[in-house]
Structure formats: C-alpha cells, structure tokens
Amino acid sequence: MGALWIAHVTVTDADAYGKYAELAGPAIAKHGGTFVARGGRFVQLEGKERPRNVVAKFPSVDAAVECYHSPEYQEALSHARGASERELMVVETSE
C-alpha cells in the first residue's frame, strides 16, 4: 500500500530552510516520493496552525521511513533543524 508523508512547518530561518528544501526534494524523489501538496492554500480547522504544509506520496510506509533515515535526507534535515518548527508523520493509504 502507498503512504503519505505529511509535514506541518513553521519556518524560523528562511535561508537555512531554503537549503533544506533544495536538498530534500531530490532525496524524496530518490526514494519514490512525489509531491502532492507543497505550501499551497489551506484552511486550519483544528489543532496548531503551521503556515507551510507538505504532502508527498510514497510507494509504501517503508519507502517513506527509509527516505527519512537516508543519508541524503538527513543531510537536508540538518539545515531544517534550528530553522523550523515542524511535525512529520507517515500515514498508510487505503489505496
């Protein structure tokens, strides 16, 4: 089954986070991820609002988790730490 990688983000350092975004896209693509939503319009109905929301589709939960732990993504993530407040989850799809 497929999986969705869902991130809710508040950027606190745009320059550093820009480096993260530059490196994260290729790392996600390398693991079969494709972006479904990336910072578009949203309506917060419940919970803490984060101004940036990203959804990527992966072939499986395992592929998404492997991507997260990959050296390429961890390098990207090193630029996001301290440059953002974020939550990230992987959810298996029913399709």
Side-chain angles (χ1 to χ4, degrees):
M1 288 200 175
L4 297 176
W5 165 307
I6 304 168
H8 305 290
V9 184
T10 299
V11 176
T12 57
D13 179 338
D15 292 336
Y17 200 81
K19 183 65 174 172
Y20 159 79
E22 178 183 315
L23 297 172
I28 288 168
K30 180 178 179 179
H31 292 271
T34 57
F35 289 102
V36 176
R38 200 172 188 182
R41 180 177 176 253
F42 71 96
V43 176
Q44 185 74 30
L45 298 175
E46 294 185 21
K48 182 174 175 85
E49 182 173 313
R50 299 276 187 198
R52 183 164 177 78
N53 300 282
V54 178
V55 179
K57 185 170 184 170
F58 281 84
S60 67
V61 169
D62 290 341
V65 172
E66 287 171 17
C67 176
Y68 181 84
H69 292 293
S70 71
E72 300 87 0
Y73 187 77
Q74 288 298 306
E75 169 63 22
L77 191 56
S78 72
H79 298 281
R81 290 189 178 111
S84 63
E85 298 170 2
R86 38 187 272 142
E87 290 85 33
L88 174 65
M89 70 181 76
V90 174
V91 179
E92 187 171 60
T93 63
S94 56
E95 299 175 353

